[in-house]
């Protein structure tokens, strides 16, 4: 269940598989391999690659995780959870406890941006990983299923704005950042 992709400065592509809890890497010559897999990966969705390695958000969790150069997976940030006991991923399939269905993941001005289908929010996560605030809020699953689905996101650096597709609403929100 390949979901998100990012290319690093060296030309390697990283892909997330949130159903099978794996991250794959395809080198510039086209050779694919498993970078990380298993429960410790946490069903990755949105992914970033930078000079310090690869980081991602957990779809069935509420965390930002990073694969350190040593091979160890660490939690960089943990978002507050809400009670999801009444929510279903599909008919008859309840959400796991703590699942925020994190999807979009990006960087802006040294901070991380993370979107959640469950809360309908885009969070701004500061450098410490503990300074977390709501940047944008749209209708989420808690308000009325199906959620509008703030999905993958991107930052238009030139125009200083957030581009946020709403999956189920078939819309694109363009939100200027405050100066």
């Amino acid at each position: 269940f390949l979901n998100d992709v990012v290319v690093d400065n060296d030309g390697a592509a990283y892909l997330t598989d949130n159903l099978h809890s794996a991250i794959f890497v395809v080198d510039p010559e086209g050779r694919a391999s498993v970078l990380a897999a298993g429960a410790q990966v946490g069903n990755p969705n949105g992914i970033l690659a930078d000079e310090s390695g690869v980081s991602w958000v957990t779809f069935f969790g509420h965390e930002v995780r990073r694969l350190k150069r040593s091979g160890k997976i660490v939690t960089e940030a943990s978002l507050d959870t809400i009670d999801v006991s009444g929510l279903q991923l599909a008919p008859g399939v309840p959400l796991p406890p703590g699942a925020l269905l994190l999807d979009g993941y990006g960087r802006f001005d040294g901070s991380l941006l993370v979107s959640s289908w469950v809360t309908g929010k885009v969070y701004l996560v500061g450098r410490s990983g503990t300074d977390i605030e709501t940047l944008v809020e749209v209708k989420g699953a808690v308000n009325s299923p199906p959620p509008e689905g703030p999905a993958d996101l991107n930052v238009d650096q030139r125009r200083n704005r957030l581009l946020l597709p709403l999956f189920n609403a078939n819309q694109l929100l363009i939100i200027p950042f405050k100066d």
Side-chain angles (χ1 to χ4, degrees):
F1 195 83
L2 297 179
N3 187 277
D4 213 343
V5 63
V6 68
V7 178
D8 70 13
N9 290 336
D10 296 327
Y14 299 86
L15 299 101
T16 59
D17 178 340
N18 63 22
L19 184 61
H20 297 101
S21 199
I23 298 173
F24 300 93
V25 61
V26 179
D27 70 22
E29 289 76 36
R31 294 182 298 260
S33 60
V34 176
L35 180 68
Q40 73 279 10
V41 177
N43 305 93
N45 198 336
I47 188 166
L48 291 174
D50 55 31
E51 60 281 343
S52 60
V54 176
S55 62
W56 61 92
V57 293
T58 58
F59 190 64
F60 293 121
H62 57 276
E63 297 174 330
V64 176
R65 294 189 180 168
R66 175 173 293 282
L67 177 63
K68 297 180 82 173
R69 296 208 183 273
S70 67
K72 182 178 180 181
I73 295 173
V74 297
T75 299
E76 286 197 323
S78 183
L79 282 71
D80 289 339
T81 60
I82 61 172
D83 180 11
V84 296
S85 60
L87 301 177
Q88 297 183 358
L89 187 59
V93 182
L95 283 180
L100 293 182
L101 303 183
L102 301 179
D103 190 344
Y105 185 46
R107 285 200 184 279
F108 177 71
D109 199 27
S111 296
L112 300 173
L113 299 169
V114 178
S115 69
S116 166
W117 281 65
V118 169
T119 65
K121 296 179 180 180
V122 174
Y123 299 94
L124 185 68
V125 180
R127 294 177 196 264
S128 69
T130 58
D131 181 25
I132 301 170
E133 64 182 83
T134 299
L135 183 66
V136 175
E137 184 171 3
V138 296
K139 186 170 63 173
V142 174
N143 301 36
S144 61
E148 289 184 348
D152 291 328
L153 52 83
N154 206 323
V155 175
D156 179 348
Q157 299 281 353
R158 190 169 62 87
R159 295 180 184 98
N160 198 37
R161 60 191 189 172
L162 174 67
L163 306 175
L164 183 65
L166 300 181
F167 189 85
N168 287 326
N170 199 27
Q171 295 176 348
L172 172 67
L173 295 181
I174 299 173
I175 304 158
F177 286 109
K178 296 176 185 169
D179 289 327

